[in-house]
Structure formats: structure tokens, C-alpha cells
């Protein structure tokens, strides 16, 4: 049998067999070509919020295709993009008044970094050229996004392309002040253009969680030093942390906010970078050299914008907040089974995200058997992807209690597979 010609993401073709072929998706489940079913415990890489193929969103896509396909957004506009921008400004933390469209989380971050640097330059503050990022962060796989993410095996081959950034430590429990002090020292130099953070939860960095008060203090320091704050809400937005945006829990508004993944309910790709009026004004000028020079061919695709508008309608008109709260409670209740078990450590939850680390002495060992773990979960009928020694569950909000039990049963049993706690 000839292997598929597809080059897959985060997939070592020399080690891994071709994956199962999905033929149908519905709710929290995927159906494979052999008739098997997989419970999507990671929302297909954190994008699916309400469940696969939500009828209201798919209907909006179908309706949009009756009148529009892609149109250039640099020269003309269209109703879905205009309506979506108004909806996003109404929903976002106060002060974010401008919406710039792109097509993925990585590009939303690229846009944010360019906005911050461009605003400083256009304001004549030429010393502000430094970006500050958090250790263990992940912000995407394009060049700028990799630059502000943690350096390691995932981006080592591309080191010559990456720009230098300043880093502050992760605000681990009991060590939050060290993070705040480190940022304040950097910011007081008046050479920092922006701090970029994943609010409350570092996703690909291992689902590491920190308290809202630490985020609020980072905002305070940024304000005191004239530093912009970029909130990468690509993963944390749209209810994942328990509120529509994670920043709400800290009672803050960032200067720039990146959103994608759940923006369309996870149905089609779309991203947006929201900014304050001050950042927009820094680029508005009779001098064309101050134009914000960024675009992609598919900016503000009308069909994707229509899907996002439908997603927002679902949030407004269905009890989504109640579903999120119920899932958060259910996730928290299931953490007790890990307490006192020597195979596990640091069971934690933030909104709808539950995570626990397997107690093994060598995380490199887990990297070696990552394929074994993924196969184990597939055999159990659950789609899960460990992050090193961190196991996590981030299902869509339609998941039932019985389905959530299937997920945690698989996580619990996985520890025996790797000899954890021995």
C-alpha cells in the first residue's frame, strides 16, 4: 500500500503510520472510515467549542456561499466583515475599538507584534524595539510567533530567522513576584514596545496555569511604564478558561488582543487582532509610510466571517455560558481521583481545561513514547495528545458527563502505560 502524499503537521513520518481517516463529525465525536468512533477530547486542537458541525454555523456558511465567495478586502468591503467587527468590539474587553482580520492564530500574533512596533516607531519612540515574552510560551509557528515563543526542538532549525526577545519567568505558584519584578526591571528601561502573554494558561507549554491577579499586576506595570500589553487569546478565548476572554477574570483590557480558533466555533479558519484607538491612530496619517503594511489574500473571507457571526449569535442566544460553567464544574470534580495517587502530580483546572502531569523522573522519556501514548488513547476511542509529561482534556462544550468519564478514565489508565510513580 502506498503511503499518503500528505505531509502532516507535528508528525514524524519515519516513525508514525498513516492516521485514521475521519469520514464524519458530529457533536463531540469523530467517525472513522472503518466505522470506529473517536471522542474528540481536545476539540480538534482547541478550536471546536460548541461541538462539530453546529447547525447554526453550518447553515450560515451555506447561506453565505449563495451570494459571496472571496473578495479582496483592501479595496472593497462586505457585510459579514463589517457586522463581525461590530460584534467583536461589543464583546471584547473595553477599549479595543479596531479589528484587523487574518487567517490563523500565528498570523494574528504576527499582526499584533507589527502593530506594537509600528505604533512605537510612528510615535517617534525609536528606542522601543524590544518585545518581552514569558518563558515556556507558545504563540504560533510563523517567524515572529516562533520568536516570542519558547526556543527548543520545535524551532531550533530556524534559529537564524528568529529575532531576539527579552523573557520573564513563568509566574509559578509562590513565585509570581519574581515574574513581576523581572518585567518591571525590563519595562523601566523604556526600551520595551510590548509584553505578549497567554492569559492565565500557557497552552502548548504544558497547560501551565497562573492566577488572574498576576495578570492584573502585569497590566499595572505595563501602564506605569508606557508598555503595550498583547493578550494572545487564540486558545484561551471563547470560554476555554471559564469566561468569554481570559482577561475578564483579571479585570483588565489589553492594548492588543489576538483571537482565532473558537472565533468561528472551530468550523473554518479565521483570526482577528483587536487594538485600541491609540494604536490605530498611530498608523493613521497623511504620510503613506505610516500605513499598516500587512495583508493576506484571504483577509476577511466573507464565508468565514459569516461563520463567526453565527458563532457569536450562538453565544448570545443559546445558554453557552451555562454550558461552560457546567463543564468547568464537571472537570474540577474529576480532579479528585488524581489526588494522592503517586502516578500523578499537579492536577489543575482553569475553566473547561483540566490537566495533570504524569510523575516520571525523565520528561525526555515521555517524549520518546509519545506515539505509544497517542496510540493507546486511539485504541480507547479517545482523541488526546499529551504535552510532554502533561495530560490534559479540553473537550467541546457539548460533552456529556458520561463522555467526560471516558476521557478521564483514559487519562487515568495512561499512567500505568508509562510506569508512572515507580
Amino acid at each position: 500500500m502506498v503511503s499518503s502524499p500528505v505531509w502532516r503537521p507535528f508528525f514524524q513520518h519515519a516513525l508514525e503510520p498513516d492516521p485514521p481517516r475521519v469520514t464524519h463529525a458530529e457533536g463531540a465525536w469523530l467517525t472513522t472510515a472503518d466505522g470506529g468512533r473517536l471522542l474528540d477530547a481536545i476539540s480538534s486542537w482547541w478550536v471546536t467549542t460548541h461541538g462539530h458541525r453546529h447547525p447554526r454555523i453550518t447553515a450560515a456558511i451555506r447561506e453565505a456561499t449563495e451570494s459571496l465567495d472571496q473578495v479582496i478586502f483592501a479595496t472593497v468591503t462586505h457585510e459579514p466583515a463589517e457586522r463581525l467587527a461590530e460584534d467583536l468590539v461589543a464583546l471584547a474587553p473595553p477599549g479595543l475599538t479596531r479589528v484587523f482580520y487574518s487567517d490563523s492564530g500565528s498570523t494574528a500574533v504576527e499582526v499584533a507584534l507589527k502593530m506594537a512596533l509600528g505604533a512605537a516607531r510612528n510615535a517617534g519612540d525609536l528606542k522601543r524595539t524590544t518585545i518581552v515574552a514569558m518563558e515556556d510560551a507558545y504563540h504560533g509557528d510563523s517567524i515572529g510567533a516562533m520568536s516570542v515563543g519558547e526556543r527548543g526542538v520545535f524551532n531550533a532549525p530556524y534559529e537564524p530567522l528568529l529575532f531576539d526577545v527579552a523573557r520573564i519567568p513563568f509566574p509559578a505558584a509562590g513565585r509570581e513576584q519574581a515574574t513581576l519584578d523581572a518585567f518591571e526591571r525590563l519595562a523601566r528601561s523604556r526600551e520595551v514596545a510590548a509584553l505578549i502573554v497567554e492569559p492565565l494558561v500557557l497552552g502548548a507549554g504544558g497547560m501551565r496555569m497562573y492566577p488572574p491577579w498576576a495578570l492584573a499586576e502585569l497590566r499595572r506595570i505595563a501602564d506605569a511604564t508606557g508598555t503595550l500589553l498583547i493578550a494572545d487569546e487564540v486558545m484561551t478565548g471563547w470560554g476555554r478558561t471559564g469566561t468569554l476572554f481570559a482577561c475578564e477574570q483579571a479585570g483588565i483590557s489589553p492594548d492588543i488582543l489576538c483571537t482565532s480558533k473558537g472565533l468561528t466555533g472551530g468550523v473554518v479558519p479565521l483570526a482577528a487582532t483587536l487594538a485600541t484607538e491609540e494604536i490605530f491612530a498611530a498608523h493613521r496619517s497623511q504620510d503613506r509610510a505610516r500605513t499598516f503594511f500587512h495583508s493576506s489574500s484571504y483577509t476577511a473571507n466573507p464565508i468565514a466571517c459569516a461563520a463567526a457571526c453565527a458563532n457569536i449569535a450562538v453565544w448570545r442566544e443559546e445558554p453557552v455560558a451555562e454550558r461552560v460553567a457546567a463543564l468547568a464544574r464537571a472537570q474540577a470534580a474529576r480532579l479528585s481521583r488524581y489526588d494522592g495517587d503517586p502516578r500523578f502530580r499537579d492536577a489543575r483546572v482553569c475553566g473547561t481545561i483540566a490537566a495533570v502531569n504524569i510523575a516520571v523522573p525523565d520528561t525526555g522519556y515521555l517524549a520518546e513514547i509519545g506515539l505509544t501514548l497517542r496510540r493507546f488513547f486511539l485504541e480507547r476511542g479517545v482523541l488526546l495528545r499529551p504535552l510532554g509529561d502533561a495530560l490534559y482534556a479540553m473537550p467541546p462544550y457539548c460533552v456529556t458527563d458520561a463522555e467526560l468519564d471516558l476521557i478521564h478514565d483514559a487519562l487515568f489508565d495512561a499512567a500505568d502505560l508509562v510506569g508512572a510513580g515507580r
Side-chain angles (χ1 to χ4, degrees):
M1 178 179 177
V2 177
S3 178
S4 166
V6 172
W7 193 340
R8 305 183 191 284
F10 281 82
F11 190 96
Q12 180 43 263
H13 286 259
L15 299 174
E16 305 191 35
D18 283 350
R21 181 167 299 192
V22 171
T23 59
H24 186 79
E26 190 79 30
W29 291 89
L30 306 174
T31 302
T32 57
D34 61 2
R37 299 180 79 217
L38 294 173
L39 179 55
D40 191 352
I42 57 171
S43 298
S44 284
W45 245 342
W46 319 342
V47 303
T48 304
T49 50
H50 312 297
H52 290 280
R53 297 177 59 246
H54 189 284
R56 187 161 189 168
I57 299 174
T58 55
I61 292 171
R62 191 177 304 113
E63 181 179 352
T65 63
E66 294 298 319
S67 56
L68 286 167
D69 58 6
Q70 174 59 23
V71 294
I72 181 173
F73 202 61
T75 306
V76 299
T77 190
H78 50 78
E79 192 272 340
E82 298 291 342
R83 177 159 49 101
L84 176 58
E86 293 174 0
D87 286 346
L88 286 173
V89 167
L91 289 173
L96 297 168
T97 61
R98 297 288 174 166
V99 177
F100 191 96
Y101 293 113
S102 58
D103 48 17
S104 73
S106 293
T107 53
V109 168
E110 295 278 337
V111 166
L113 296 173
K114 290 173 69 173
M115 282 180 176
L117 293 169
R121 181 183 179 88
N122 291 347
D125 204 345
L126 303 183
K127 288 181 62 180
R128 288 192 182 271
T129 59
T130 299
I131 302 293
V132 178
M134 196 173 283
E135 292 176 354
D136 298 325
Y138 172 83
H139 295 287
D141 292 320
S142 53
I143 298 303
M146 282 194 295
S147 295
V148 294
E150 184 69 15
R151 306 294 170 91
V153 65
F154 296 115
N155 48 38
Y158 324 118
E159 190 72 28
L161 299 173
L162 308 184
F163 60 80
D164 291 334
V165 302
R167 298 194 187 275
I168 57 175
F170 173 77
R175 298 195 292 275
E176 296 94 347
Q177 193 60 46
T179 301
L180 302 176
D181 291 344
F183 177 50
E184 187 157 19
R185 283 193 299 271
L186 290 165
R188 286 199 181 281
S189 71
R190 305 287 171 168
E191 295 178 358
V192 176
L195 166 69
I196 182 168
V197 297
E198 298 165 86
L200 305 188
V201 184
L202 270 61
M207 295 299 161
R208 303 183 70 187
M209 301 174 184
Y210 63 98
W213 70 262
L215 178 60
E217 280 297 290
L218 290 171
R219 170 75 275 186
R220 180 190 64 78
I221 295 167
D223 283 340
T225 57
T227 305
L228 298 179
L229 177 65
I230 302 171
D232 178 357
E233 293 250 23
V234 170
M235 183 275 283
T236 58
W238 302 103
R240 291 298 180 190
T241 65
T243 48
L244 186 63
F245 293 107
C247 286
E248 296 174 30
Q249 297 180 48
I252 68 157
S253 291
D255 299 288
I256 302 174
L257 183 147
C258 307
T259 182
S260 188
K261 292 192 184 291
L263 174 57
T264 66
V267 181
V268 290
L270 183 66
T273 304
L274 280 66
T276 63
E277 196 66 18
E278 290 77 9
I279 293 172
F280 175 77
H283 292 86
R284 180 177 178 135
S285 173
Q286 296 297 314
D287 181 358
R288 290 187 180 275
R290 294 190 178 190
T291 301
F292 184 59
F293 293 109
H294 190 99
S295 184
S296 65
S297 299
Y298 285 94
T299 295
N301 175 266
I303 297 167
C305 289
C309 289
N311 169 56
I312 291 174
V314 171
W315 270 91
R316 285 175 170 162
E317 299 170 23
E318 295 187 19
V320 181
E322 289 82 353
R323 292 169 191 158
V324 167
L327 177 53
R329 290 192 298 269
Q331 289 275 51
R334 283 160 177 79
L335 291 189
S336 60
R337 71 187 300 181
Y338 305 102
D339 292 341
D341 190 320
R343 301 175 305 162
F344 301 99
R345 59 180 178 83
D346 193 20
R348 55 201 182 275
V349 67
C350 183
T352 69
I353 308 166
V356 64
N357 292 71
I358 302 178
V360 294
D362 180 7
T363 56
Y365 164 66
L366 278 177
E368 291 296 321
I369 64 166
L371 174 58
T372 301
L373 282 168
R374 292 198 297 275
R375 283 175 172 168
F376 168 77
F377 291 130
L378 288 175
E379 289 168 359
R380 292 289 293 264
V382 181
L383 181 60
L384 286 162
R385 289 182 65 93
L387 297 165
D389 62 344
L391 306 179
Y392 73 96
M394 194 192 299
Y397 308 148
C398 62
V399 71
T400 66
D401 281 338
E403 291 164 349
L404 203 58
D405 284 338
L406 289 176
I407 296 169
H408 283 275
D409 287 345
L411 293 176
F412 196 76
D413 293 344
D416 284 335
L417 186 68
V418 299
R422 296 177 185 172

